[in-house]
Amino acid sequence: PPHFDSAEQYDAAVQMLVQTDVIRDDGMVYWDVRPSADFPTVEIRVADVPATVEETVLLAALARAAVMTALAEE
């Protein structure tokens, strides 16, 4: 996705996509990383189905590390 400086900027961009009929609703934003429409979290959609439990745990650990690094820099 493009860089957004705020949640409001992201919401405005998604609203524009809906209003111009590019997408039907905010659930159709198919970026690899996006705020969840239902929970106060960030969804990482790069690998929806890891092949093994070990790969699932690795993906979760990498995602958490990325978030913690971003928070520390903020």
Side-chain angles (χ1 to χ4, degrees):
H3 174 81
F4 296 106
D5 291 322
S6 66
E8 292 79 17
Q9 191 179 38
Y10 171 84
D11 291 339
V14 171
Q15 183 179 20
M16 183 269 307
L17 292 172
V18 173
Q19 289 175 343
T20 57
D21 293 327
V22 173
I23 59 176
R24 282 186 278 180
D25 59 50
D26 59 359
M28 294 184 72
V29 176
Y30 294 116
W31 291 323
D32 292 338
V33 177
R34 69 179 186 186
S36 171
D38 300 317
F39 302 101
T41 61
V42 174
E43 297 176 348
I44 299 174
R45 304 170 50 87
V46 176
D48 288 341
V49 186
T52 66
V53 170
E54 291 81 9
E55 290 175 356
T56 302
V57 171
L58 176 61
L59 180 60
L62 290 171
R64 181 174 172 80
V67 169
M68 297 307 291
T69 300
L71 284 173
E73 291 180 4
E74 187 65 29

